[in-house]
Amino acid sequence: SLTGEAVWDDDVHVFANPDMDTLQGLKRIWTSGRAYYYPLTTTVFWLLHRQWGDDTFPYHLANLLIHIANALLLWRLLARLKLPGAVLAAFIFALHPVQVESVAWITELKNLLACFFFLLSAQSFVRSSYVPSLVFFILSLLSKPAAAGLPLLIPVYFWWKKRLLPIRKIFALSLPFFLVSLLAGLWTIWEQIVHSGAEGEVWSLSVLERFLVGGRAFWFYLEKFFWPVPV
C-alpha cells in the first residue's frame, strides 16, 4: 500500500480539505460541523498534511505502523488474559485480508486509530487502571465512534474471570464508560443527520429493521473472517 495514491473520499477528508492548511482549520475540526464525528483522526491528518502536504507515502506509512502496533497490542492483551494462541491470533489479525481496506485506504486511519486506543483502554482496564482506561476509551471514540461497544465487554470480563466483585461495584466501574458511549452515539446520530444528510425514506427504518441490519452485519463480517472472498 505504500505506493498507493489517494482514493475515493481521501480528497474530501485530507487533500482537498481547506481545514488542513491553517490553525483556524484546526480549530474548526474541533468546534464545527467540519469535525464530522472523528475529530482526533482529522487532527492527525492535519498534522501529517502540515508536515508532508499531498505526498501520500507518509499517510500510508502511518497507517501501516499503527496497524503493526495494534497487532502487538492485541498480542499483549491476549497474553495478559492468559488466552492460548495469543501469538497466532495477533498474527492472523495482522495479515488477514479484511484488514487491507483499513491499512491501504488513507481515510480509514480512523479504524486503525480507534483500534489503537481501544486496545490501550482494554489493557488498562485489565490492569485495574480505570482512569487511564476511560481516557483511552474517550480518545478511541474521538477517533471513530464505532468503539462505543467497549463498555459491553466490562461485565463480560468480570463474569469470565469470575472476579467476586459486588454487582454494585461492577456497575460503578462500568457506568462512566456507558455514559461516554451514549454521548458518542447521540453525537454521531446528530452529526449524521445535520451534516451528512442521513434523512429521508432510505434512512427511515423501524426498530425491527435496524435490528435486522445489525444482525446481517454480524453474519457478514463473520463470513468474511472465515472466507474473505471477495473482499
Side-chain angles (χ1 to χ4, degrees):
S1 68
L2 295 177
T3 58
E5 298 300 322
V7 298
W8 201 20
D9 58 352
D10 287 342
D11 286 340
V12 175
H13 290 289
V14 185
F15 304 109
N17 185 348
D19 292 332
M20 295 292 108
D21 298 324
T22 63
L23 288 173
Q24 188 63 29
L26 180 61
K27 179 182 177 181
R28 284 195 296 269
I29 287 170
W30 287 91
T31 60
S32 72
R34 300 294 299 173
Y36 297 102
Y37 47 94
Y38 35 84
L40 184 57
T41 300
T42 310
T43 299
V44 174
F45 283 143
W46 186 90
L47 292 170
L48 288 169
H49 194 265
R50 294 280 287 184
Q51 183 66 34
W52 303 103
D54 292 342
D55 182 3
T56 58
F57 175 80
Y59 300 88
H60 286 300
L61 180 61
N63 278 18
L64 182 60
L65 292 176
I66 295 172
H67 179 58
I68 292 170
N70 288 344
L72 294 173
L73 283 171
L74 179 63
W75 163 56
R76 292 302 303 147
L77 175 62
L78 297 178
R80 180 169 287 275
L81 292 171
K82 295 180 171 56
L83 282 169
V87 173
L88 177 62
F91 187 79
I92 293 172
F93 174 87
L95 297 181
H96 199 285
V98 299
Q99 301 285 22
V100 171
E101 178 186 72
S102 293
V103 178
W105 177 9
I106 291 173
T107 297
E108 291 303 272
L109 169 68
K110 56 182 180 283
N111 280 350
L112 301 166
L113 207 57
C115 182
F116 177 74
F117 289 117
F118 185 102
L119 291 170
L120 285 176
S121 177
Q123 283 213 34
S124 297
F125 196 92
V126 169
R127 292 173 178 169
S128 300
S129 300
Y130 301 123
V131 173
S133 178
L134 183 60
V135 171
F136 285 132
F137 179 50
I138 293 171
L139 292 175
S140 183
L141 290 170
L142 291 172
S143 302
K144 186 176 182 179
L150 184 142
L152 297 173
L153 299 177
I154 295 175
V156 173
Y157 168 71
F158 283 114
W159 167 78
W160 174 44
K161 286 300 181 180
K162 298 180 180 178
R163 292 198 174 189
L164 300 178
L165 289 180
I167 297 296
R168 186 178 301 174
K169 185 169 183 179
I170 296 175
F171 176 78
L173 290 173
S174 306
L175 183 60
F177 291 85
F178 277 103
L179 290 177
V180 170
S181 186
L182 176 63
L183 288 174
L186 293 174
W187 169 38
T188 305
I189 292 170
W190 174 82
E191 194 284 332
Q192 286 283 297
I193 293 174
V194 174
H195 297 115
S196 300
E199 293 183 288
E201 184 177 349
V202 175
W203 300 92
S204 300
L205 302 178
S206 67
V207 174
L208 176 60
E209 287 171 327
R210 291 175 189 274
F211 272 102
L212 291 173
V213 169
R216 182 185 181 278
F218 173 81
W219 292 110
F220 172 83
Y221 281 108
L222 190 62
E223 175 197 359
K224 294 302 177 187
F225 176 79
F226 287 105
W227 186 249
V229 180
V231 177

